[in-house]
Amino acid sequence: MYHNNESIFFIDGNWTKAGDANIDVFNQTFHYGIGAFEGIRAYHSSMGMSLFKATEHYKRLLNSVQTLHLKINYTAAELVEITHQLLKKNNLRNAYVRPLVFMGPNMELTIKGKPRLLIAAWEWGALLGKNQLNLSISSYQRPDRKSLPATAKLTGNYTNSILASYEARKKGADEALMLDGDGNIAQAPGANFFLEKDGVLYTPQEGNILPGITRATIFEYAKELNFEIREQDLLVDMIHDADSAFLTGTATEIVGVKSIEGIKMNNAWKDSMGEVLAGVYQHRIRREVSQGLTIV
Ligand code: PMP
């Protein structure tokens, strides 16, 4: 599904056939989750391929690697260029790019050795879904910044995300909404959260959330549209009288919320600030792709 006999990876500085990738089963990332990764979208048009916010993603990757006290010898600009080549070599159209910094064999709880770099991509046309979501509040807490570096996208953190999503789906919801250590709303397992009330958007401030690149994009667009956003603690009680809410992420894009823990949003998604922002987002992606611009 993610690769075939023809797929080419960028691995440790070389272009390698997927089947020839040499990954040691004792690699530390496999066992202990010491690693960092990104998820980047490529959109296609008649003018070619555009990467969405690739520089920002690679800057976050370099920062994540730094939180592990590791270093890779590439700049964000070099990684963007490699990614363009990767997409060309694999003849991909609408794709998802997965850079992963991972470790060599080491069964100790130490950080040592040179990290390795894999960049792979696969065709991923369809959006995750356009329907508004029913969220359920998770019994799993988002790890706070004293447990794991909050600004880093680290491999090991995703056990927490996957358990939260699993629990939500088992309860019949579409996705989880996770709280932080203080009991305030943090985010979804793989997306950031916004809530609308009386013409103002609220979103948790940085601290216990992954500062999403789509979240930052929403801030940009909101400024242009004169939409007010307040970054603050989001008490769970705020869901009781919320006008609307939405999730943001590279894979998710911008998707509306229908209900949280069975509590319906006051307004229809089509009348929400989120829907306006989602429209701008889709328009920007399509327009810039159709102009053959690299979206940065
Ligand atoms: N939080 C988590 C835990 C994520 O994995 C993601 C997806 N990368 C996000 C938030 C949204 O971030 P972005 O908008 O940068 O994709």
Side-chain angles (χ1 to χ4, degrees), residues 198-217:
D198 294 336
V200 177
L201 290 170
Y202 295 85
T203 196
Q205 72 270 44
E206 290 188 25
N208 299 318
I209 60 162
L210 183 78
I213 288 155
T214 320
R215 176 181 180 272
T217 307

Side-chain angles (χ1 to χ4, degrees), residues 39 57 60 142 153 158 161 187-192 210-215 248-251:
H57 280 283
R60 187 169 65 187
R142 175 96 192 141
K153 196 165 161 67
Y158 283 78
S161 294
Q187 61 167 95
N192 292 114
L210 183 78
I213 288 155
T214 320
R215 176 181 180 272
T248 65
T250 301

Side-chain angles (χ1 to χ4, degrees), residues 35-210:
F37 69 101
E38 274 302 322
I40 309 171
R41 277 261 199 178
Y43 295 94
H44 178 263
S45 80
S46 55
M47 303 292 289
M49 181 74 76
S50 296
L51 286 163
F52 188 66
K53 306 261 179 186
T55 305
E56 284 84 343
H57 280 283
Y58 280 120
K59 281 187 177 161
R60 187 169 65 187
L61 181 70
L62 296 176
N63 171 66
S64 298
V65 169
Q66 213 172 25
T67 68
L68 295 175
H69 312 284
L70 294 166
K71 192 174 180 328
I72 54 167
N73 292 323
Y74 292 96
T75 62
E78 287 165 346
L79 293 167
V80 173
E81 177 49 35
I82 292 165
T83 305
H84 278 289
Q85 290 178 36
L86 178 83
L87 295 168
K88 258 194 220 125
K89 282 180 194 289
N90 286 285
N91 217 0
L92 291 166
R93 293 164 67 84
N94 292 294
Y96 193 73
V97 180
R98 167 51 48 84
L100 170 71
V101 175
F102 66 105
M103 302 306 291
N106 176 13
M107 290 297 91
E108 297 169 8
L109 302 186
T110 53
I111 294 179
K112 66 179 182 196
K114 208 166 123 16
R116 302 180 63 187
L117 170 68
L118 163 75
I119 311 180
W122 62 91
E123 188 76 23
W124 205 18
L127 306 182
L128 277 189
K130 280 270 162 212
N131 294 337
Q132 283 86 66
L133 306 175
N134 295 308
L135 304 183
S136 103
I137 293 183
S138 186
S139 71
Y140 292 96
Q141 180 192 306
R142 175 96 192 141
D144 69 22
R145 64 179 126 186
K146 288 183 192 157
S147 305
L148 287 161
T151 54
K153 196 165 161 67
L154 303 180
T155 309
N157 296 20
Y158 283 78
T159 304
N160 171 261
S161 294
I162 291 168
L163 286 172
S165 265
Y166 177 85
E167 179 194 62
R169 288 181 184 132
K170 234 179 157 190
K171 283 202 269 181
D174 299 306
E175 188 51 287
L177 183 61
M178 304 179 76
L179 309 184
D180 65 19
D182 298 322
N184 296 319
I185 294 172
Q187 61 167 95
N192 292 114
F193 178 79
F194 288 78
L195 181 146
E196 175 188 346
K197 179 68 193 160
D198 294 336
V200 177
L201 290 170
Y202 295 85
T203 196
Q205 72 270 44
E206 290 188 25
N208 299 318
I209 60 162
L210 183 78

